């Protein structure tokens, strides 16, 4: 009471906090500016979640997880707007279908102390499709740098 500490209260803190930091810039596709946002933090024993918005309606979406960063213009792979880059090493790929112009991703993190303090990176790459199913463009979101934490 009045700023005094009670003998019956405890404060839960951690020396290994989880973090999610955005870096790089997304580029604009047919759905608008592609943006990736963390909706939870990467704690061991839980699932890290994020949402990618402004996904093209007619697309498949790759969630790219990697252990390192890169800077590869997507135009070197397939047709892409200027400035679209792959910012994450493609160590693990998940495929999603957008719903209402967004994609919600989930990465389960096992309850393993060896993961605490490890850094992984995530980015989302929409693969825009024509009406006949051909690839018309690759675009990309910003990336997230995730430090796995523990209580």
């Amino acid at each position: 009471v009045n700023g005094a500490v009670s003998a019956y209260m405890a404060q839960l803190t951690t020396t290994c906090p989880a973090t999610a930091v955005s870096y790089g810039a997304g580029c604009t596709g047919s759905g608008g500016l592609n943006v990736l946002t963390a909706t939870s933090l990467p704690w061991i024993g839980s699932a890290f979640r994020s949402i990618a918005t402004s996904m093209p309606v007619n697309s498949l979406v790759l969630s790219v997880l990697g252990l390192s960063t890169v800077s590869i213009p997507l135009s070197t792979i397939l047709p892409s707007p200027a400035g679209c880059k792959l910012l994450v090493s493609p160590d693990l790929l998940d495929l999603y279908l957008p719903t209402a112009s967004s994609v919600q991703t989930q990465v389960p993190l096992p309850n393993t102390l060896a993961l605490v303090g490890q850094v992984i990176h995530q980015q989302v790459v929409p693969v825009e499709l024509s009406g006949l199913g051909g690839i018309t463009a690759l675009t990309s979101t910003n990336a997230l740098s995730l430090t796995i934490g523990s209580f």
Side-chain angles (χ1 to χ4, degrees), residues 3 7 12 23 31 38 44-45 48 51-52 64 68 74 92 98 109-111 134 142:
L12 181 62
Y23 68 94
I44 61 168
F48 166 73
I51 186 167
V64 182
S68 61
L74 291 177
L92 177 65
L109 299 169
N111 194 9
N142 55 296

Side-chain angles (χ1 to χ4, degrees), residues 51-64:
I51 186 167
T53 55
S54 298
M55 298 293 99
V57 174
N58 199 22
S59 67
L60 298 173
V61 178
L62 293 171
S63 172
V64 182

Side-chain angles (χ1 to χ4, degrees), residues 49 51-52 56 64 79-80 106-107 134 143:
R49 292 180 176 84
I51 186 167
V64 182
S80 302
Q106 179 172 304
V107 180

Side-chain angles (χ1 to χ4, degrees), residues 66-94:
L67 300 174
S68 61
T69 61
V70 297
S71 182
I72 301 171
L74 291 177
S75 60
T76 62
I77 302 169
L78 284 170
S80 302
C84 294
K85 292 183 179 180
L86 181 64
L87 300 172
V88 174
S89 62
D91 298 321
L92 177 65
L93 303 174
D94 281 329

Side-chain angles (χ1 to χ4, degrees), residues 32-47:
L33 178 62
N34 300 322
V35 177
L36 180 63
T37 306
T39 57
S40 69
L41 291 175
W43 296 102
I44 61 168
S46 69

